[in-house]
Amino acid sequence: QLQLVESGGGLVQPGGSLRLSCAASGFTFDYYALAWFRQAPGKEREEVSCISATSSTNYADSVKGRFTISRDNAKNTVYLQMTSLKPEDTAVYYCAKGYVSFCQPNKYHQWGQGTQVTVST
């Protein structure tokens, strides 16, 4: 059974940091791209970052320079290290599995349940 389980969300002050984790199972993790998405109330879903099977990365302009995606194939886990957090980063963050080994914009499936990130004073 393919599963993606996000964790690490929480409440953080602007300028703070948070690391999200997505634990994957049920597929050959090493072979696929994975991505982080987020969705805030009243906003469309946004692809935050993706990482290919070879660890090439892409970032949305809104997070570039602040967020870092990485993967640990030995642990079947993808991470999103978030720094310099802003209130507009507040959203539910989801991870998702790609269909192929490389990043394809808006082509992911098998979403996790999401983890809430709230950036506020």
Side-chain angles (χ1 to χ4, degrees):
Q1 189 77 14
L2 195 158
Q3 291 187 349
L4 298 170
V5 181
E6 300 95 335
S7 62
L11 175 64
V12 64
Q13 293 187 347
S17 299
L18 210 57
R19 188 177 77 158
L20 307 184
S21 300
C22 174
S25 61
F27 65 98
T28 306
F29 182 85
D30 305 29
Y31 292 174
Y32 293 95
L34 291 108
W36 285 97
F37 288 76
R38 66 186 182 187
Q39 189 163 29
K43 301 281 189 176
E44 68 178 3
R45 186 184 63 193
E46 177 185 24
E47 185 174 335
V48 175
S49 183
C50 67
I51 184 164
S52 75
T54 57
S55 294
S56 297
T57 58
N58 291 331
Y59 297 94
D61 287 342
S62 57
V63 307
K64 196 171 296 180
R66 300 187 298 118
F67 290 11
T68 303
I69 191 170
S70 62
R71 63 193 296 159
D72 186 338
N73 290 341
K75 296 181 178 179
N76 284 4
T77 301
V78 61
Y79 303 97
L80 186 68
Q81 179 67 51
M82 305 183 294
T83 62
S84 301
L85 283 161
K86 304 174 180 179
E88 55 260 43
D89 296 319
T90 296
V92 178
Y93 284 70
Y94 302 89
C95 65
K97 174 186 173 292
Y99 290 99
V100 294
S101 65
F102 53 91
C103 295
Q104 295 182 298
N106 203 34
K107 290 189 175 180
Y108 297 87
H109 67 127
Q110 302 302 128
W111 300 75
Q113 85 288 352
T115 185
Q116 176 72 47
V117 172
T118 303
V119 185
S120 177
T121 57

